[in-house]
Amino acid sequence: MERLTYLTEFFELENYGIALWKEFGDDVKEPFEAMMKMLDEPECIEDRWLDDEAKGEKWLLEFQELALTEEYREWIRDYIDKKYEEKGLPYPTGADFD
């Protein structure tokens, strides 16, 4: 759910993300509540996984690579490019994760 939530937010598909949570949220309720409880504990604030941008970038690249056609892959790449340009960041590459 974390991955789907990240992707739906990145691609500005909030309604789709809400629909996914409504459909499958009960399946992740217990782990989600446990994670939220951990976030309330001060020692968890410094953990790298809480703010791991590389994980999100990797998900974006995988999503692009798994697109059904070259046309879709190009559209996804262009969209990611646009969003990264708005943030002043270079497009993520697989080399960023080695």
Side-chain angles (χ1 to χ4, degrees):
M1 283 302 288
E2 181 183 5
R3 182 180 188 159
L4 289 173
T5 300
Y6 180 86
L7 291 171
T8 57
E9 287 178 9
F10 184 87
F11 289 102
E12 299 177 7
L13 301 169
E14 290 84 12
N15 289 335
Y16 189 70
I18 290 168
L20 287 170
W21 272 98
K22 284 182 179 179
E23 180 72 24
F24 302 106
D26 288 340
D27 296 340
V28 295
K29 183 178 180 184
E30 190 175 313
F32 179 75
E33 288 174 351
M35 182 185 74
M36 293 307 290
K37 184 178 178 185
M38 283 178 39
L39 291 175
D40 288 337
E41 297 174 16
E43 63 271 9
C44 289
I45 300 298
E46 300 299 320
D47 285 351
R48 185 182 190 299
W49 66 269
L50 296 177
D51 190 25
D52 190 358
E53 295 239 356
K55 181 169 52 173
E57 290 176 355
K58 186 175 181 179
W59 289 340
L60 289 171
L61 290 176
E62 289 172 352
F63 184 72
Q64 176 191 350
E65 290 170 5
L66 295 172
L68 294 177
T69 67
E70 184 63 34
E71 182 180 353
Y72 289 145
R73 284 188 288 280
E74 280 296 314
W75 184 91
I76 292 168
R77 181 178 175 94
D78 290 343
Y79 188 88
I80 294 170
D81 253 348
K82 179 183 147 205
K83 297 291 275 186
Y84 270 69
E85 283 177 18
E86 289 172 3
K87 295 179 181 182
L89 300 171
Y91 187 87
T93 66
D96 296 335
F97 311 111
D98 293 338

XYZ file of all heavy atoms in Angstrom:
844
model
N 0.823 -1.193 0.000
C 0.000 0.000 0.000
C 0.868 1.257 0.000
O 0.484 2.248 -0.590
C -0.934 0.008 1.214
C -2.133 -0.904 1.087
S -3.204 -0.570 -0.336
C -3.998 0.925 0.134
N 2.024 1.166 0.639
C 2.906 2.332 0.672
C 3.318 2.721 -0.753
O 3.300 3.891 -1.133
C 4.134 2.031 1.521
C 5.096 3.196 1.638
C 6.353 2.844 2.421
O 6.546 1.668 2.797
O 7.152 3.754 2.632
N 3.657 1.723 -1.536
C 4.081 1.963 -2.921
C 2.935 2.534 -3.749
O 3.109 3.512 -4.484
C 4.582 0.652 -3.519
C 5.097 0.785 -4.919
C 5.564 -0.561 -5.422
N 6.226 -0.426 -6.675
C 7.065 -1.286 -7.182
N 7.366 -2.381 -6.522
N 7.624 -1.099 -8.343
N 1.761 1.946 -3.641
C 0.607 2.434 -4.393
C 0.236 3.844 -3.972
O -0.114 4.683 -4.804
C -0.588 1.495 -4.213
C -0.470 0.146 -4.899
C -1.633 -0.748 -4.513
C -0.409 0.314 -6.408
N 0.305 4.111 -2.684
C 0.002 5.452 -2.190
C 0.992 6.462 -2.752
O 0.607 7.541 -3.208
C 0.013 5.479 -0.649
O -0.982 4.568 -0.162
C -0.271 6.868 -0.107
N 2.265 6.099 -2.750
C 3.291 6.999 -3.297
C 3.016 7.286 -4.771
O 3.036 8.438 -5.212
C 4.687 6.388 -3.118
C 5.770 7.276 -3.664
C 6.317 8.283 -2.887
C 6.231 7.126 -4.972
C 7.300 9.122 -3.395
C 7.219 7.955 -5.482
C 7.746 8.950 -4.689
O 8.711 9.777 -5.201
N 2.766 6.249 -5.549
C 2.553 6.424 -6.987
C 1.285 7.225 -7.281
O 1.296 8.103 -8.152
C 2.508 5.069 -7.691
C 3.839 4.311 -7.737
C 3.630 2.899 -8.268
C 4.868 5.056 -8.572
N 0.197 6.954 -6.570
C -1.042 7.696 -6.839
C -0.889 9.163 -6.455
O -1.413 10.038 -7.143
C -2.265 7.073 -6.128
O -2.025 7.004 -4.725
C -2.597 5.714 -6.693
N -0.140 9.440 -5.397
C 0.095 10.838 -5.028
C 1.016 11.522 -6.039
O 0.766 12.655 -6.433
C 0.689 10.930 -3.623
C -0.321 10.637 -2.542
C 0.266 10.671 -1.140
O 1.431 11.092 -0.967
O -0.453 10.270 -0.217
N 2.067 10.842 -6.461
C 3.005 11.435 -7.422
C 2.304 11.780 -8.730
O 2.518 12.849 -9.297
C 4.183 10.496 -7.694
C 5.210 11.106 -8.599
C 6.223 11.895 -8.076
C 5.157 10.922 -9.973
C 7.161 12.485 -8.912
C 6.093 11.505 -10.813
C 7.102 12.286 -10.281
N 1.467 10.874 -9.215
C 0.777 11.087 -10.482
C -0.545 11.842 -10.310
O -1.342 11.929 -11.235
C 0.555 9.752 -11.201
C 1.823 9.173 -11.746
C 2.472 8.140 -11.094
C 2.389 9.676 -12.902
C 3.662 7.619 -11.579
C 3.574 9.164 -13.407
C 4.217 8.134 -12.738
N -0.746 12.397 -9.111
C -1.916 13.221 -8.789
C -3.228 12.487 -9.059
O -4.161 13.025 -9.648
C -1.840 14.549 -9.551
C -0.608 15.350 -9.180
C -0.451 16.634 -9.965
O -1.365 17.009 -10.732
O 0.603 17.267 -9.817
N -3.275 11.251 -8.619
C -4.466 10.412 -8.762
C -5.088 10.176 -7.383
O -5.307 9.041 -6.964
C -4.090 9.081 -9.414
C -3.454 9.186 -10.800
C -2.878 7.841 -11.233
C -4.470 9.690 -11.806
N -5.351 11.270 -6.664
C -5.809 11.183 -5.295
C -7.079 10.345 -5.141
O -7.184 9.539 -4.226
C -6.027 12.577 -4.683
C -4.758 13.338 -4.430
C -4.236 14.085 -5.660
O -4.971 14.199 -6.665
O -3.078 14.534 -5.619
N -8.040 10.547 -6.055
C -9.291 9.795 -5.958
C -9.059 8.293 -6.114
O -9.699 7.486 -5.452
C -10.307 10.291 -6.988
C -10.833 11.658 -6.637
O -10.830 12.069 -5.473
N -11.278 12.388 -7.627
N -8.133 7.936 -6.986
C -7.792 6.527 -7.168
C -7.131 5.982 -5.901
O -7.433 4.884 -5.456
C -6.871 6.362 -8.376
C -6.642 4.926 -8.761
C -7.668 4.163 -9.315
C -5.407 4.332 -8.577
C -7.463 2.835 -9.671
C -5.195 3.012 -8.928
C -6.223 2.274 -9.477
O -6.015 0.974 -9.815
N -6.249 6.774 -5.304
C -5.600 6.373 -4.055
C -6.609 6.176 -2.937
O -6.524 5.210 -2.175
N -7.577 7.069 -2.856
C -8.631 6.945 -1.833
C -9.441 5.685 -2.083
O -9.759 4.942 -1.141
C -9.530 8.195 -1.837
C -8.741 9.397 -1.303
C -10.796 7.960 -1.019
C -9.417 10.737 -1.519
N -9.761 5.409 -3.336
C -10.516 4.195 -3.669
C -9.732 2.942 -3.280
O -10.308 1.977 -2.765
C -10.852 4.172 -5.161
N -8.412 2.946 -3.509
C -7.585 1.800 -3.108
C -7.613 1.606 -1.597
O -7.718 0.481 -1.111
C -6.140 1.992 -3.583
C -5.896 1.817 -5.071
C -4.492 2.269 -5.434
C -6.105 0.364 -5.475
N -7.493 2.705 -0.847
C -7.524 2.602 0.612
C -8.887 2.108 1.094
O -8.958 1.310 2.030
C -7.162 3.937 1.260
C -5.695 4.061 1.434
C -4.815 4.720 0.620
C -4.905 3.451 2.453
N -3.541 4.567 1.075
C -3.558 3.804 2.210
C -5.198 2.665 3.560
C -2.514 3.385 3.025
C -4.159 2.253 4.374
C -2.839 2.614 4.105
N -9.960 2.572 0.454
C -11.301 2.105 0.842
C -11.439 0.606 0.575
O -12.030 -0.124 1.359
C -12.380 2.869 0.080
C -12.602 4.257 0.607
C -13.713 4.947 -0.169
C -13.965 6.328 0.365
N -15.018 7.022 -0.395
N -10.894 0.156 -0.557
C -11.008 -1.255 -0.941
C -10.097 -2.159 -0.123
O -10.487 -3.238 0.306
C -10.693 -1.400 -2.437
C -10.778 -2.822 -2.958
C -12.201 -3.349 -3.053
O -13.144 -2.542 -3.164
O -12.369 -4.584 -3.008
N -8.851 -1.747 0.099
C -7.864 -2.632 0.703
C -7.332 -2.153 2.048
O -6.469 -2.805 2.638
C -6.674 -2.826 -0.261
C -7.080 -3.387 -1.582
C -7.117 -2.582 -2.711
C -7.450 -4.721 -1.709
C -7.495 -3.091 -3.937
C -7.831 -5.242 -2.926
C -7.856 -4.424 -4.050
N -7.808 -1.025 2.523
C -7.300 -0.455 3.768
C -7.429 -1.376 4.968
O -6.544 -1.413 5.829
N -8.517 -2.132 5.035
C -8.691 -3.044 6.168
C -7.608 -4.116 6.198
O -7.225 -4.588 7.262
C -10.069 -3.711 6.123
C -11.186 -2.730 6.461
O -10.890 -1.682 7.073
O -12.343 -3.011 6.107
N -7.090 -4.480 5.025
C -6.052 -5.502 4.946
C -4.728 -5.028 5.537
O -3.898 -5.843 5.934
C -5.813 -5.933 3.494
C -7.038 -6.605 2.881
O -7.903 -7.077 3.640
O -7.117 -6.644 1.643
N -4.523 -3.720 5.573
C -3.254 -3.176 6.082
C -3.453 -2.362 7.362
O -2.533 -1.698 7.810
C -2.546 -2.312 5.011
C -2.136 -3.150 3.823
C -3.400 -1.137 4.607
N -4.626 -2.434 7.930
C -4.944 -1.617 9.102
C -3.989 -1.885 10.267
O -3.443 -0.954 10.849
C -6.389 -1.850 9.543
C -6.811 -0.984 10.694
C -8.255 -1.209 11.065
C -8.621 -0.314 12.233
N -9.966 -0.546 12.690
N -3.777 -3.148 10.615
C -2.929 -3.483 11.753
C -1.476 -3.047 11.545
O -0.910 -2.370 12.407
C -3.012 -4.977 12.052
C -2.362 -5.364 13.361
C -2.581 -6.838 13.668
O -3.718 -7.318 13.542
O -1.594 -7.490 14.034
N -0.846 -3.387 10.390
C 0.526 -2.906 10.180
C 0.615 -1.377 10.113
O 1.566 -0.785 10.597
C 0.952 -3.526 8.855
C -0.018 -4.607 8.583
C -1.270 -4.285 9.333
N -0.401 -0.740 9.552
C -0.411 0.715 9.453
C -0.465 1.345 10.842
O 0.277 2.276 11.135
C -1.597 1.173 8.603
C -1.705 2.667 8.462
C -0.852 3.347 7.626
C -2.657 3.385 9.179
C -0.945 4.725 7.488
C -2.747 4.750 9.047
C -1.889 5.427 8.202
N -1.333 0.832 11.683
C -1.433 1.363 13.046
C -0.142 1.142 13.822
O 0.285 2.005 14.592
C -2.622 0.743 13.773
C -3.956 1.263 13.261
C -5.162 0.550 13.862
O -4.992 -0.470 14.564
O -6.285 1.038 13.626
N 0.504 -0.007 13.619
C 1.784 -0.275 14.282
C 2.846 0.719 13.811
O 3.630 1.236 14.614
C 2.233 -1.702 14.020
N 2.857 1.014 12.516
C 3.822 1.973 11.984
C 3.559 3.360 12.560
O 4.491 4.063 12.958
C 3.757 2.022 10.459
C 4.777 2.984 9.862
S 4.637 3.159 8.073
C 3.164 4.153 7.949
N 2.299 3.763 12.635
C 1.968 5.078 13.181
C 2.379 5.176 14.646
O 2.868 6.219 15.089
C 0.470 5.368 13.018
C 0.044 5.529 11.571
S 0.991 6.733 10.631
C 0.442 8.238 11.393
N 2.221 4.103 15.386
C 2.637 4.100 16.792
C 4.159 4.279 16.889
O 4.652 5.027 17.727
C 2.219 2.797 17.465
C 2.526 2.749 18.936
C 2.046 1.473 19.576
C 2.439 1.487 21.049
N 2.121 0.234 21.700
N 4.894 3.605 16.005
C 6.353 3.744 15.992
C 6.756 5.178 15.660
O 7.715 5.706 16.220
C 6.980 2.787 14.971
C 7.054 1.369 15.444
S 7.741 0.236 14.201
C 9.034 1.157 13.457
N 6.031 5.815 14.752
C 6.362 7.186 14.364
C 6.192 8.160 15.521
O 6.846 9.203 15.557
C 5.511 7.628 13.178
C 5.804 6.944 11.859
C 4.809 7.394 10.797
C 7.215 7.235 11.401
N 5.313 7.823 16.445
C 5.103 8.678 17.612
C 6.249 8.586 18.609
O 6.400 9.455 19.456
C 3.790 8.314 18.319
C 2.569 8.750 17.516
O 2.709 9.668 16.686
O 1.492 8.179 17.734
N 7.055 7.535 18.497
C 8.178 7.364 19.413
C 9.362 8.176 18.903
O 9.772 8.043 17.755
C 8.546 5.884 19.521
C 7.425 5.036 20.100
C 7.730 3.557 20.075
O 8.906 3.188 19.899
O 6.783 2.770 20.217
N 9.945 9.031 19.767
C 11.013 9.944 19.327
C 12.211 9.252 18.678
O 12.793 9.788 17.742
C 11.457 10.634 20.616
C 10.385 10.378 21.604
C 9.624 9.171 21.150
N 12.589 8.063 19.126
C 13.775 7.424 18.561
C 13.574 6.979 17.120
O 14.528 6.729 16.405
C 14.250 6.240 19.414
C 13.253 5.110 19.521
C 12.279 5.244 20.674
O 12.249 6.301 21.309
O 11.532 4.289 20.925
N 12.343 6.899 16.659
C 12.089 6.490 15.275
C 12.183 7.656 14.293
O 12.272 7.444 13.101
C 10.705 5.856 15.155
S 10.627 4.236 15.926
N 12.181 8.867 14.794
C 12.199 10.030 13.921
C 13.460 10.067 13.063
O 13.441 10.474 11.919
C 12.100 11.333 14.757
C 10.806 11.359 15.570
C 12.210 12.559 13.875
C 9.527 11.352 14.767
N 14.579 9.580 13.571
C 15.845 9.653 12.851
C 16.063 8.500 11.879
O 17.023 8.505 11.130
C 17.016 9.684 13.847
C 16.974 10.866 14.797
C 17.040 12.202 14.070
O 17.806 12.303 13.088
O 16.314 13.122 14.472
N 15.212 7.496 11.871
C 15.411 6.339 10.990
C 15.341 6.755 9.529
O 14.455 7.482 9.110
C 14.367 5.261 11.264
C 14.653 4.499 12.541
O 15.736 4.685 13.128
O 13.793 3.706 12.932
N 16.264 6.244 8.723
C 16.380 6.587 7.312
C 15.129 6.215 6.519
O 14.727 6.936 5.623
C 17.612 5.875 6.735
C 17.935 6.242 5.306
C 19.134 5.432 4.826
N 19.709 5.808 3.593
C 19.120 5.818 2.419
N 17.866 5.538 2.313
N 19.767 6.148 1.321
N 14.492 5.109 6.850
C 13.359 4.647 6.051
C 12.168 5.580 6.118
O 11.318 5.576 5.252
C 12.949 3.231 6.440
C 12.397 3.104 7.817
C 13.086 2.829 8.951
C 11.031 3.237 8.215
N 12.241 2.808 10.025
C 10.978 3.038 9.606
C 9.847 3.509 7.526
C 9.791 3.111 10.332
C 8.664 3.569 8.246
C 8.645 3.368 9.623
N 12.111 6.429 7.106
C 10.972 7.322 7.227
C 10.954 8.378 6.126
O 9.904 8.851 5.733
C 10.980 8.025 8.599
C 10.815 7.112 9.797
C 10.902 7.912 11.081
C 9.484 6.378 9.725
N 12.121 8.759 5.652
C 12.204 9.785 4.628
C 13.138 9.311 3.521
O 14.111 9.952 3.180
C 12.711 11.090 5.253
C 12.584 12.251 4.284
O 11.732 12.192 3.386
O 13.362 13.203 4.419
N 12.849 8.164 2.959
C 13.739 7.548 1.989
C 13.276 7.885 0.572
O 12.483 7.162 -0.020
C 13.763 6.044 2.225
C 14.837 5.348 1.420
O 15.542 6.006 0.645
O 14.968 4.138 1.566
N 13.765 9.006 0.044
C 13.370 9.436 -1.298
C 13.808 8.445 -2.359
O 13.156 8.278 -3.382
C 13.952 10.816 -1.587
C 13.394 11.883 -0.695
C 12.710 12.985 -1.466
O 12.731 12.949 -2.706
O 12.156 13.859 -0.807
N 14.937 7.785 -2.132
C 15.441 6.834 -3.126
C 14.442 5.713 -3.368
O 14.297 5.242 -4.496
C 16.788 6.264 -2.682
N 13.750 5.309 -2.313
C 12.749 4.252 -2.470
C 11.647 4.712 -3.423
O 11.255 3.983 -4.327
C 12.176 3.879 -1.100
C 11.153 2.780 -1.150
C 10.781 2.232 0.207
C 10.385 3.257 1.206
N 9.881 2.695 2.459
N 11.170 5.926 -3.254
C 10.136 6.460 -4.137
C 10.619 6.595 -5.569
O 9.894 6.272 -6.511
N 11.858 7.056 -5.728
C 12.410 7.188 -7.075
C 12.531 5.823 -7.746
O 12.250 5.682 -8.940
C 13.765 7.876 -7.024
C 13.667 9.340 -6.643
C 15.006 10.007 -6.487
O 16.049 9.321 -6.583
O 15.028 11.224 -6.265
N 12.930 4.841 -6.985
C 13.035 3.479 -7.538
C 11.662 2.981 -7.979
O 11.523 2.379 -9.041
C 13.647 2.547 -6.498
C 13.913 1.161 -7.033
C 14.632 0.320 -6.024
C 14.906 -1.059 -6.604
N 15.627 -1.918 -5.686
N 10.643 3.248 -7.184
C 9.291 2.839 -7.552
C 8.847 3.515 -8.844
O 8.202 2.891 -9.689
C 8.309 3.163 -6.439
C 8.451 2.313 -5.219
C 9.054 1.090 -5.121
C 7.981 2.622 -3.918
N 8.977 0.626 -3.832
C 8.328 1.546 -3.074
C 7.301 3.701 -3.367
C 8.011 1.513 -1.723
C 6.985 3.676 -2.017
C 7.329 2.595 -1.203
N 9.197 4.788 -9.010
C 8.836 5.495 -10.238
C 9.489 4.849 -11.452
O 8.846 4.648 -12.480
C 9.243 6.963 -10.146
C 8.434 7.824 -9.196
C 9.087 9.196 -9.056
C 6.993 7.950 -9.647
N 10.774 4.528 -11.332
C 11.485 3.894 -12.453
C 10.906 2.522 -12.769
O 10.732 2.165 -13.941
C 12.970 3.785 -12.150
C 13.737 5.101 -12.132
C 15.186 4.864 -11.711
C 13.682 5.777 -13.484
N 10.613 1.741 -11.741
C 10.022 0.414 -11.967
C 8.657 0.539 -12.623
O 8.317 -0.232 -13.526
C 9.922 -0.345 -10.647
C 11.240 -0.796 -10.098
C 11.157 -1.385 -8.704
O 10.087 -1.324 -8.052
O 12.177 -1.896 -8.248
N 7.872 1.509 -12.175
C 6.553 1.732 -12.759
C 6.687 2.060 -14.245
O 5.963 1.515 -15.081
C 5.847 2.866 -12.010
C 4.449 3.119 -12.456
C 3.431 2.236 -12.154
C 4.140 4.260 -13.191
C 2.125 2.477 -12.562
C 2.848 4.508 -13.606
C 1.838 3.610 -13.291
N 7.649 2.913 -14.569
C 7.880 3.270 -15.967
C 8.316 2.047 -16.770
O 7.811 1.802 -17.866
C 8.942 4.368 -16.058
C 9.285 4.719 -17.484
C 10.507 5.603 -17.581
O 11.011 6.105 -16.594
N 10.984 5.777 -18.791
N 9.256 1.280 -16.238
C 9.777 0.111 -16.953
C 8.701 -0.942 -17.211
O 8.767 -1.656 -18.200
C 10.913 -0.517 -16.159
C 12.172 0.322 -16.128
C 13.209 -0.201 -15.149
O 12.993 -1.277 -14.549
O 14.231 0.474 -14.962
N 7.719 -1.023 -16.333
C 6.679 -2.043 -16.454
C 5.476 -1.602 -17.292
O 4.539 -2.377 -17.468
C 6.218 -2.490 -15.064
C 7.284 -3.208 -14.237
C 6.788 -3.434 -12.812
C 7.681 -4.518 -14.886
N 5.512 -0.378 -17.798
C 4.417 0.092 -18.654
C 4.299 -0.829 -19.869
O 5.297 -1.331 -20.382
C 4.659 1.535 -19.085
N 3.088 -1.022 -20.325
C 2.821 -2.005 -21.374
C 3.428 -1.678 -22.736
O 3.795 -2.578 -23.482
C 1.316 -2.204 -21.524
C 0.624 -2.837 -20.319
C -0.879 -2.914 -20.564
C 1.189 -4.213 -20.032
N 3.492 -0.398 -23.068
C 4.002 -0.028 -24.395
C 5.073 1.051 -24.263
O 5.174 1.731 -23.241
C 2.877 0.515 -25.299
O 2.428 1.772 -24.757
C 1.718 -0.459 -25.429
N 5.829 1.217 -25.323
C 6.845 2.272 -25.356
C 6.183 3.646 -25.233
O 6.720 4.548 -24.596
C 7.667 2.177 -26.643
C 8.788 3.168 -26.722
C 9.838 2.983 -25.628
O 10.097 1.838 -25.217
O 10.401 3.997 -25.192
N 5.031 3.795 -25.848
C 4.298 5.065 -25.769
C 3.969 5.417 -24.315
O 4.167 6.560 -23.884
C 3.012 4.979 -26.593
C 2.207 6.250 -26.606
C 0.931 6.123 -27.425
O 0.725 5.086 -28.092
O 0.146 7.079 -27.393
N 3.480 4.450 -23.562
C 3.185 4.687 -22.147
C 4.464 4.980 -21.364
O 4.496 5.858 -20.493
C 2.477 3.495 -21.512
C 1.054 3.299 -21.969
C 0.536 2.025 -22.111
C 0.219 4.371 -22.273
C -0.771 1.819 -22.527
C -1.081 4.177 -22.687
C -1.574 2.904 -22.810
O -2.866 2.714 -23.224
N 5.538 4.243 -21.652
C 6.806 4.493 -20.952
C 7.289 5.916 -21.204
O 7.764 6.587 -20.297
C 7.859 3.465 -21.375
C 7.640 2.092 -20.743
C 8.791 1.140 -21.006
N 8.851 0.675 -22.379
C 8.090 -0.304 -22.881
N 7.232 -0.938 -22.111
N 8.214 -0.674 -24.140
N 7.165 6.381 -22.442
C 7.568 7.745 -22.780
C 6.698 8.769 -22.046
O 7.196 9.768 -21.545
C 7.485 7.982 -24.291
C 8.662 7.439 -25.046
C 9.957 8.135 -24.658
O 9.996 9.385 -24.565
O 10.939 7.406 -24.411
N 5.383 8.529 -22.022
C 4.477 9.457 -21.339
C 4.830 9.535 -19.857
O 4.918 10.634 -19.282
C 3.019 9.018 -21.493
C 2.078 10.012 -20.877
C 1.497 11.068 -21.509
C 1.645 10.059 -19.514
N 0.726 11.778 -20.614
C 0.800 11.184 -19.391
C 1.886 9.284 -18.388
C 0.187 11.534 -18.173
C 1.288 9.637 -17.181
C 0.449 10.743 -17.082
N 5.074 8.388 -19.233
C 5.429 8.357 -17.813
C 6.751 9.084 -17.585
O 6.885 9.884 -16.654
C 5.475 6.903 -17.292
C 4.059 6.317 -17.281
C 6.095 6.836 -15.901
C 4.008 4.815 -17.064
N 7.723 8.807 -18.447
C 9.023 9.487 -18.302
C 8.868 11.002 -18.431
O 9.433 11.761 -17.651
C 10.026 8.983 -19.324
C 11.365 9.689 -19.141
C 12.437 9.225 -20.086
N 13.614 10.046 -19.890
C 14.623 9.730 -19.094
N 14.604 8.605 -18.432
N 15.648 10.540 -18.964
N 8.104 11.453 -19.420
C 7.878 12.886 -19.592
C 7.199 13.495 -18.367
O 7.554 14.592 -17.936
C 7.040 13.165 -20.845
C 7.787 12.884 -22.135
O 9.042 12.778 -22.099
O 7.118 12.749 -23.173
N 6.234 12.782 -17.812
C 5.527 13.283 -16.631
C 6.479 13.378 -15.435
O 6.496 14.386 -14.725
C 4.340 12.367 -16.296
C 3.462 12.943 -15.213
C 2.413 13.789 -15.549
C 3.686 12.670 -13.867
C 1.603 14.327 -14.572
C 2.887 13.214 -12.881
C 1.852 14.039 -13.239
O 1.055 14.585 -12.261
N 7.282 12.330 -15.232
C 8.247 12.341 -14.130
C 9.251 13.470 -14.341
O 9.574 14.206 -13.405
C 8.958 10.978 -14.001
C 7.953 9.890 -13.592
C 10.093 11.050 -12.980
C 8.505 8.469 -13.672
N 9.725 13.619 -15.575
C 10.650 14.705 -15.907
C 10.066 16.063 -15.506
O 10.735 16.890 -14.883
C 10.943 14.722 -17.407
C 12.327 14.229 -17.755
O 13.160 14.088 -16.849
O 12.562 13.984 -18.942
N 8.826 16.279 -15.897
C 8.151 17.545 -15.600
C 8.091 17.787 -14.102
O 8.399 18.879 -13.619
C 6.743 17.532 -16.197
C 5.939 18.770 -15.933
C 4.544 18.635 -16.509
C 3.594 19.390 -15.610
N 2.247 18.919 -15.653
N 7.698 16.774 -13.350
C 7.578 16.920 -11.895
C 8.940 17.185 -11.259
O 9.054 17.999 -10.346
C 6.938 15.678 -11.275
C 5.518 15.403 -11.717
C 4.562 16.437 -11.195
C 4.141 16.049 -9.809
N 3.109 16.907 -9.259
N 9.966 16.503 -11.735
C 11.307 16.698 -11.179
C 11.858 18.076 -11.554
O 12.534 18.714 -10.742
C 12.246 15.580 -11.626
C 12.228 14.420 -10.654
C 11.117 13.616 -10.522
C 13.321 14.159 -9.838
C 11.085 12.582 -9.621
C 13.304 13.114 -8.943
C 12.176 12.329 -8.831
O 12.149 11.303 -7.920
N 11.575 18.541 -12.773
C 12.007 19.877 -13.173
C 11.370 20.931 -12.281
O 12.026 21.903 -11.892
C 11.649 20.147 -14.633
C 12.571 19.480 -15.623
C 12.143 19.721 -17.061
O 11.357 20.668 -17.322
O 12.589 18.969 -17.933
N 10.092 20.742 -11.936
C 9.402 21.673 -11.055
C 10.096 21.750 -9.692
O 10.098 22.799 -9.059
C 7.936 21.253 -10.860
C 7.082 21.452 -12.089
C 5.688 20.848 -11.944
O 5.349 20.319 -10.862
O 4.919 20.904 -12.924
N 10.677 20.641 -9.256
C 11.382 20.597 -7.972
C 12.859 20.966 -8.118
O 13.576 21.022 -7.130
C 11.288 19.193 -7.367
C 9.889 18.769 -6.989
C 9.914 17.367 -6.423
C 8.528 16.889 -6.043
N 8.575 15.552 -5.452
N 13.319 21.155 -9.352
C 14.721 21.469 -9.598
C 15.639 20.276 -9.418
O 16.815 20.419 -9.092
N 15.125 19.078 -9.650
C 15.898 17.848 -9.490
C 16.120 17.169 -10.841
O 15.268 17.262 -11.726
C 15.156 16.870 -8.567
C 14.878 17.360 -7.157
C 13.948 16.393 -6.435
C 16.180 17.512 -6.387
N 17.237 16.436 -11.005
C 17.432 15.676 -12.247
C 16.567 14.420 -12.229
O 16.190 13.926 -11.169
C 18.916 15.313 -12.188
C 19.237 15.278 -10.740
C 18.360 16.328 -10.089
N 16.284 13.929 -13.417
C 15.491 12.704 -13.536
C 16.248 11.549 -12.882
O 17.443 11.393 -13.106
C 15.235 12.374 -15.015
C 14.287 11.224 -15.220
C 12.916 11.450 -15.263
C 14.758 9.928 -15.365
C 12.046 10.395 -15.444
C 13.882 8.871 -15.547
C 12.526 9.109 -15.593
O 11.660 8.079 -15.763
N 15.579 10.744 -12.047
C 16.280 9.633 -11.400
C 16.667 8.558 -12.415
O 15.939 8.318 -13.376
C 15.257 9.088 -10.402
C 13.938 9.499 -10.937
C 14.169 10.786 -11.680
N 17.813 7.930 -12.187
C 18.252 6.847 -13.075
C 18.533 5.619 -12.231
O 18.705 5.708 -11.021
C 19.536 7.221 -13.830
O 20.597 7.348 -12.888
C 19.385 8.521 -14.588
N 18.576 4.482 -12.888
C 18.901 3.236 -12.184
C 20.223 3.295 -11.479
O 20.428 2.646 -10.449
N 21.171 4.086 -11.988
C 22.483 4.218 -11.361
C 22.384 4.812 -9.960
O 23.235 4.603 -9.119
C 23.400 5.074 -12.225
N 21.302 5.562 -9.722
C 21.106 6.174 -8.406
C 20.882 5.132 -7.318
O 20.973 5.435 -6.137
C 19.889 7.113 -8.424
C 20.092 8.282 -9.371
O 21.250 8.640 -9.631
O 19.085 8.836 -9.839
N 20.583 3.891 -7.701
C 20.204 2.873 -6.717
C 21.218 1.755 -6.589
O 20.994 0.801 -5.881
C 18.828 2.307 -7.080
C 17.832 3.388 -7.347
C 17.352 3.603 -8.624
C 17.410 4.225 -6.338
C 16.460 4.611 -8.872
C 16.526 5.245 -6.583
C 16.040 5.442 -7.857
N 22.329 1.841 -7.305
C 23.354 0.804 -7.219
C 24.187 0.953 -5.960
O 24.310 1.954 -5.371
C 24.270 0.845 -8.453
C 23.499 0.435 -9.712
O 22.470 -0.237 -9.590
O 23.940 0.830 -10.807
